[in-house]
Amino acid sequence: MQTPSTSVSAKAFQDWLDRVARPIEFATRDECAHLSAVKNLGSFVAEQVLSALANRVYPKTVEARLVSLRDLFVDFQRLLPPHEQRRRLQAAVAIVNGLRSVVRELPELPESEMPRAEPESRPEGTKRGGLWNLPIRFAKGVGPKRIGLLQRWKIDTVEDALWTLPWRYEDRSVMTQLGDLVPGMTTSICGTVAKCEAKRTRNRRLSVLDVGVEDETGRMQAVFFNQPYLEKVLAIGTRVMMSGRVIAGRQGWMVPRMEVAQYEVLGEDTESTLHVGRIVPVYHETKGWTSRQMRVLERDLLEKHARELHDCLPVQLRARRRLIPIQEALRDVHFPDAGADLTLLEQSKTPAHRRLAFEELFLLQTALATRQRSVQNEPKQLTFNPRTPLLEKLSRLLPFRLTAAQDRVIREVFHDMLAPRPMNRLVQGDVGSGKTAVALHALVMACGSGYQAALMAPTEILAEQHYRNLSGTFESLGLKAMLMRGGGKASVKTAQIAQLASGEIHVAIGTHALIQKGVAFKNLGLAVVDEQHKFGVLQRKTLIDKGYKPDMLVLTATPIPRTLAMTVYGDLDVSVIDELPPGRKPVHTLLFDQSQRRRAYQLLRDELRNGRQAYVVYPLIEESEKTDLQAAMQGAEQLQSGELAEFRVGLLHGRMKAAEKEAVMAEFKAGSIHALVATTVVEVGVDVPNATIMMIEHAERFGLAQLHQLRGRVGRACHQSYCLLMVSGRWSKGGVRAGGLKGARASDAADEHGPSASRERLEALVRSNDGFVIAEEDLRIRGPGEFFGLRQWGMPEFRVANIVRDADLLQQARQEAFALLKMDPDLKAPAHQELRDAMLRKWQEKLELGSIS
């Protein structure tokens, strides 16, 4: 019989089975006369079987018998009647005998392959892999049939289950007796189903279930419509809890009626205290797995494994931050004490919630600090020359003066390049702040020092834009720049690859194609990544794998909220260009609904007649890309034949070939195209100073950060510019205020995608031109899960923490993590061993600690 290498040998299994069977067989001698002398029999057998199941693979017949054996002893310690104990022991002996009969099916492997039976006193999970390795499928009430349901919430282990928190709480600490119900009250009751009668209305389209509930004080009626399946659920004799509003019944107040908002079937008397008479946790449910089952599971796991929970936070840190122990925190979030503050529970702001959130944030920040140190400790093999004549020549070539903010950031970048550790710096700057000029100085310093440099952009349009804007400057400096596309002729690409490998090319500009297989640099010294989040994770590891350890400079025009930057870019040094070039005027932003479309078009035509140019942007959402492209194409046709018939209208979208896109952009930049209809490919990098007005269709479909990025395509010169936000629906009230462009705005918005949030988001854009203010607002409104497509950012996933709600904890966690690493860089102190293990378990693979920055 073929078995995986993790299978157990016949001899090892036989020895293990003998050790486990010995106390069982002793307890059954002389009609179980010796049972009372065997202490902790249930926990001993259950733990040993679980240990065997968790560590090895067995034939299905063996595994089924092992699971059955464990089930017999899981609750053996409870006060079972003697006859039930005897029955279970006899069943266990039968299973043991059955296992002995199939031992010969197992292969002969070394005895070391079988885990030895552990002493009962050894806490399970500390020396056998921990709760993070303990499969939840073997927990009581789960099993192979229900494991798939729990995996929907990413629950695979006991640790996962314990860290899966309630999403809300109900105060069932006070149950109203049925005899005390009064009209209009909203309350909870607990009773027994005395009547359950299904009826159908005359037209038979409506089923009615009439349920009578009683307790020792009175009786109550509940009616359920079109839920015939509840007839089996609410069978006579079933104990139930119901919450809802009380109204008069058909017999007046003799038998009141409840409009049931929630109900729950209660289990045995031993379970009832979990579900009523307390503040009750409510978990997410799915078909086949209820909140009640989750409560029972959490109760059982805490009872069995609480002593095995190890606090990974150092004692001094917990004392300094007044954090409660992990065991107490998990108990309190799942089963709050009577009198706990329900408001704080609902807001996840109790000491228990904050303790767990802090741990998640602290582990991440410790991992980021570790990753940063790993880069800082890399030996730098690059030597840059800050006095290269090319830098002085560059300063004479620039047709503008650098702002004070640009000067400051360039000094920070040069300081990093001259440091004995690799540079790993993020430069944030609002649209139009001059990040490219900063990058240009770094590129020239690298090339002037004898190295090659790479500039990576997320799209071919932006790469082409960088090449057009910078190639002339590089040429004037005697540097050879090259644009590498993903496609193109094979012969051209082959020649480019050869030039890169020989060192003939000084600066390579392109998309991720620059670091694809087959592309090699002779001596890469600097890699500049523009709009890094569009790539997903940072590409440093790919470069290291190819044999390079260049300095890394990351640029982003996407204003990143402080809290988000500490999680996504927590290992990077950050510079901020917080000043716009002189002469730039803030873009005026206006909101319009469909009833005001003619007014919006009039503003558009006015700008075009004044010799300016315009963008009309359509959204492009992955799920409806085909429809959105069609809308953009139809929009261009309609504008050309209608509102903008006197002007030339162009079209740009991501599905066009590179040559087509380049031709359209060249014509738009030259002014022969007056209005450019585009999808969001213009969001990043398109630079046409004469474009002064942008109309964004279906503005409610965009996030604030994306709208701000789009708005940044206008206002790139000294001309006053405008951004017109056009929503699909109509304002629920009000309209555009009179008073011309400067004062115009809409007071309210309503749309099918969530009028309140949409209105709040769009009005925030009208109020502010500060990208960082807007980004913070966007994060607050939409939450971290939706902010600017965080899936692309590699945003960390938390079970408890929320970077908006817990911003103060994030800051504290970061301070503590970096201070700790300064004191104990490798976390080798005995007091930090649990922390190190926990951090590596969670983040070593995701952040590739020790190998990338």
Side-chain angles (χ1 to χ4, degrees):
M1 180 180 67
Q2 299 253 336
T3 56
S5 60
T6 51
S7 296
V8 60
S9 74
K11 183 179 183 304
F13 185 77
Q14 182 68 64
D15 291 346
W16 174 87
L17 184 58
D18 287 343
R19 286 193 294 269
V20 174
R22 220 167 274 136
I24 297 174
E25 292 169 344
F26 176 80
T28 58
R29 286 181 194 169
D30 304 325
E31 296 183 342
C32 299
H34 306 288
L35 178 57
S36 60
V38 184
K39 303 296 183 185
N40 299 322
L41 177 61
S43 59
F44 172 78
V45 176
E47 288 185 10
Q48 301 318 310
V49 174
L50 185 58
S51 172
L53 286 167
N55 284 280
R56 291 294 176 265
V57 176
Y58 301 87
K60 287 186 177 180
T61 54
V62 174
E63 179 173 306
R65 285 172 172 159
L66 287 172
V67 171
S68 298
L69 181 63
R70 180 176 179 271
D71 288 345
L72 291 173
F73 289 93
V74 163
D75 57 352
F76 200 83
Q77 299 307 116
R78 296 187 183 180
L79 297 176
L80 294 174
H83 69 86
E84 176 62 14
Q85 289 183 331
R86 287 194 294 270
R87 186 196 69 77
R88 292 194 184 191
L89 283 169
Q90 289 164 0
V93 170
I95 291 173
V96 167
N97 291 335
L99 286 169
R100 283 179 171 145
S101 70
V102 297
V103 163
R104 66 180 65 91
E105 295 180 32
L106 299 171
E108 287 300 333
L109 294 176
E111 183 175 352
S112 60
E113 291 292 324
M114 182 62 201
R116 295 183 181 277
E118 301 285 350
E120 213 290 315
S121 59
R122 181 179 292 177
E124 185 179 71
T126 57
K127 300 193 178 181
R128 290 200 297 272
L131 299 184
W132 53 88
N133 272 336
L134 211 54
I136 194 63
R137 65 170 294 198
F138 300 120
K140 183 182 177 183
V142 182
K145 290 184 179 178
R146 290 175 175 152
I147 182 63
L149 301 175
L150 294 182
Q151 285 173 338
R152 294 182 186 182
W153 294 293
K154 299 183 180 178
I155 300 176
D156 292 299
T157 67
V158 170
E159 183 180 70
D160 293 338
L162 290 173
W163 278 77
T164 300
L165 272 50
W167 71 280
R168 64 183 181 87
Y169 297 84
E170 288 179 3
D171 189 354
R172 302 180 189 169
S173 56
V174 178
M175 289 282 156
T176 303
Q177 292 186 317
L178 298 184
D180 295 333
L181 295 177
V182 296
M185 72 186 303
T186 299
T187 187
S188 298
I189 62 94
C190 186
T192 303
V193 176
K195 169 190 169 187
C196 186
E197 185 178 342
K199 302 176 183 177
R200 282 216 170 255
T201 56
R202 288 183 180 177
N203 60 17
R204 302 191 64 80
R205 290 184 180 178
L206 187 67
S207 68
V208 179
L209 189 67
D210 189 2
V211 179
V213 180
E214 62 181 20
D215 66 8
E216 60 274 13
T217 68
R219 212 180 151 126
M220 182 199 81
Q221 179 195 27
V223 178
F224 296 88
F225 296 100
N226 285 336
Q227 299 178 69
Y229 62 89
L230 288 182
E231 186 174 8
K232 292 181 180 179
V233 177
L234 301 176
I236 293 174
T238 303
R239 295 191 68 238
V240 294
M241 185 285 303
M242 293 182 176
S243 297
R245 183 169 171 269
V246 180
I247 60 175
R250 288 183 177 177
Q251 302 173 29
W253 284 101
M254 295 296 292
V255 181
R257 178 176 159 186
M258 176 176 279
E259 295 176 336
V260 179
Q262 291 156 351
Y263 73 91
E264 189 167 304
V265 175
L266 302 180
E268 303 168 0
D269 289 342
T270 54
E271 282 187 4
S272 295
T273 53
L274 275 182
H275 314 299
V276 294
R278 66 187 307 153
I279 294 177
V280 175
V282 180
Y283 301 88
H284 288 294
E285 297 186 347
T286 189
K287 186 178 181 181
W289 188 259
T290 65
S291 188
R292 188 186 77 83
Q293 287 172 299
M294 193 68 178
R295 280 195 287 277
V296 173
L297 176 64
E298 297 289 4
R299 188 271 314 274
D300 290 347
L301 293 179
L302 285 169
E303 282 183 358
K304 183 173 178 56
H305 298 293
R307 63 192 175 95
E308 302 160 34
L309 290 162
H310 292 278
D311 219 321
C312 67
L313 298 184
V315 175
Q316 290 183 335
L317 168 60
R318 296 205 309 267
R320 189 162 53 248
R321 295 295 177 181
R322 298 181 180 179
L323 301 172
I324 63 177
I326 185 68
Q327 294 91 341
E328 184 182 342
L330 285 171
R331 279 199 181 98
D332 286 353
V333 293
H334 289 294
F335 302 107
D337 291 334
D341 189 319
L342 195 62
T343 301
L344 292 181
L345 283 168
E346 293 284 2
Q347 295 175 350
S348 300
K349 290 185 177 180
T350 66
H353 283 93
R354 292 179 71 77
R355 159 65 177 82
L356 298 175
F358 185 92
E359 179 172 321
E360 284 192 308
L361 296 169
F362 182 69
L363 287 177
L364 172 64
Q365 293 304 318
T366 304
L368 290 170
T370 300
R371 193 162 81 155
Q372 187 182 65
R373 291 188 71 87
S374 73
V375 177
Q376 292 174 346
N377 292 334
E378 276 182 26
K380 187 168 182 174
Q381 301 162 353
L382 307 170
T383 305
F384 293 107
N385 177 16
R387 294 185 174 83
T388 171
L390 291 183
L391 283 174
E392 188 178 338
K393 193 173 180 181
L394 174 64
S395 64
R396 294 197 299 269
L397 283 174
L398 290 179
F400 53 84
R401 286 190 62 180
L402 297 172
T403 64
Q406 285 175 309
D407 272 329
R408 169 174 44 78
V409 173
I410 288 171
R411 286 196 302 272
E412 291 169 352
V413 170
F414 282 3
H415 179 270
D416 281 2
M417 293 178 74
L418 298 174
R421 59 178 179 82
M423 174 170 69
N424 205 26
R425 183 167 289 276
L426 169 70
V427 174
Q428 291 190 73
D430 218 335
V431 282
S433 61
K435 296 175 298 302
T436 307
V438 170
L440 178 60
H441 281 74
L443 292 165
V444 169
M445 183 172 171
C447 295
S449 304
Y451 298 103
Q452 291 172 295
L455 173 55
M456 285 188 285
T459 65
E460 289 198 351
I461 285 183
L462 182 52
E464 291 157 8
Q465 174 102 12
H466 279 314
Y467 181 74
R468 277 198 305 271
N469 289 346
L470 299 177
S471 56
T473 303
F474 287 133
E475 189 177 340
S476 300
L477 294 170
L479 300 174
K480 189 169 183 180
M482 173 195 80
L483 175 64
M484 179 174 279
R485 294 191 176 95
K489 292 183 179 179
S491 58
V492 173
K493 199 165 186 178
T494 301
Q496 289 180 329
I497 290 173
Q499 290 176 310
L500 266 185
S502 68
E504 185 182 341
I505 298 294
H506 300 102
V507 182
I509 300 172
T511 62
H512 64 283
L514 288 178
I515 54 175
Q516 285 177 344
K517 189 176 180 180
V519 179
F521 292 82
K522 182 181 180 182
N523 57 348
L524 181 64
L526 174 69
V528 178
V529 182
D530 198 1
E531 292 301 333
Q532 185 271 327
H533 69 274
K534 298 281 187 178
F535 285 97
V537 295
L538 196 61
Q539 305 290 336
R540 182 177 172 82
K541 182 180 184 299
T542 308
L543 292 167
I544 289 175
D545 289 346
K546 292 172 75 72
Y548 313 120
K549 289 189 177 179
D551 276 13
M552 294 290 297
L553 184 62
V554 179
L555 311 177
T556 180
T558 304
I560 306 169
R562 184 177 55 88
T563 51
L564 191 57
M566 282 193 283
T567 52
V568 178
Y569 293 131
D571 60 319
L572 293 160
D573 298 310
V574 179
S575 295
V576 179
I577 305 177
D578 51 7
E579 181 182 358
L580 289 176
R584 295 280 178 93
K585 297 177 181 178
V587 176
H588 287 320
T589 304
L590 299 85
L591 268 62
F592 296 91
D593 72 0
Q594 292 303 313
S595 68
Q596 301 156 338
R597 182 173 283 278
R598 290 182 63 186
R599 166 71 173 148
Y601 281 141
Q602 184 60 52
L603 298 175
L604 201 64
R605 285 193 296 270
D606 287 347
E607 284 297 296
L608 296 179
R609 286 166 182 161
N610 286 333
R612 307 292 171 222
Q613 290 167 276
Y615 295 99
V616 179
V617 180
Y618 282 81
L620 187 57
I621 312 299
E622 286 179 23
E623 290 78 5
S624 57
E625 186 172 328
K626 188 174 180 180
T627 306
D628 289 330
L629 277 176
Q630 196 173 8
M633 293 174 182
Q634 290 174 349
E637 292 174 8
Q638 289 169 3
L639 286 174
Q640 185 64 86
S641 60
E643 299 288 347
L644 301 183
E646 60 189 284
F647 306 101
R648 187 179 171 204
V649 178
L651 176 65
L652 181 72
H653 59 77
R655 291 285 184 90
M656 296 167 67
K657 293 180 180 178
E660 294 174 337
K661 287 188 282 189
E662 197 170 343
V664 170
M665 282 308 305
E667 285 190 273
F668 187 55
K669 196 157 189 175
S672 55
I673 290 177
H674 305 104
L676 182 64
V677 175
T679 57
T680 48
V681 292
V682 300
E683 177 188 342
V684 176
V686 177
D687 186 9
V688 180
N690 191 48
T692 60
I693 189 164
M694 172 179 283
M695 175 185 284
I696 302 176
E697 295 284 354
H698 306 289
E700 74 282 353
R701 292 174 63 182
F702 294 87
L704 261 183
Q706 196 175 23
L707 286 170
H708 181 64
Q709 285 289 295
L710 288 167
R711 179 170 64 178
R713 298 306 104 210
V714 296
R716 303 184 71 83
C718 57
H719 314 296
Q720 180 61 62
S721 296
Y722 308 95
C723 180
L724 317 180
L725 304 178
M726 181 66 65
V727 297
S728 309
R730 296 172 63 90
W731 303 129
S732 56
K733 60 180 181 179
V736 176
R737 269 203 320 240
L741 281 172
K742 195 168 184 179
R745 60 159 283 189
S747 60
D748 210 354
D751 65 79
E752 67 276 19
H753 298 284
S756 178
S758 181
R759 179 166 58 247
E760 191 177 1
R761 196 165 67 243
L762 296 175
E763 290 193 339
L765 197 74
V766 171
R767 287 192 301 271
S768 177
N769 275 280
D770 187 322
F772 290 95
V773 171
I774 289 165
E776 292 281 0
E777 187 75 359
D778 199 17
L779 187 60
R780 182 189 66 79
I781 293 170
R782 293 198 292 163
E786 296 297 323
F787 179 82
F788 204 70
L790 289 181
R791 188 161 41 100
Q792 296 180 67
W793 296 64
M795 179 68 188
E797 292 184 6
F798 301 118
R799 287 191 182 271
V800 184
N802 177 301
I803 62 171
V804 178
R805 181 193 67 220
D806 301 322
D808 60 327
L809 288 182
L810 177 59
Q811 184 66 48
Q812 294 170 25
R814 185 168 178 80
Q815 290 170 357
E816 292 285 359
F818 278 76
L820 181 65
L821 266 292
K822 191 173 183 180
M823 179 180 66
D824 183 9
D826 299 314
L827 297 176
K828 288 185 176 178
H832 302 147
Q833 191 61 49
E834 291 281 357
L835 169 63
R836 186 176 186 278
D837 291 346
M839 176 196 74
L840 291 176
R841 277 198 310 275
K842 188 162 181 64
W843 294 109
Q844 184 171 28
E845 186 177 339
K846 294 174 186 174
L847 296 182
E848 297 176 272
L849 298 177
S851 63
I852 68 171
S853 62

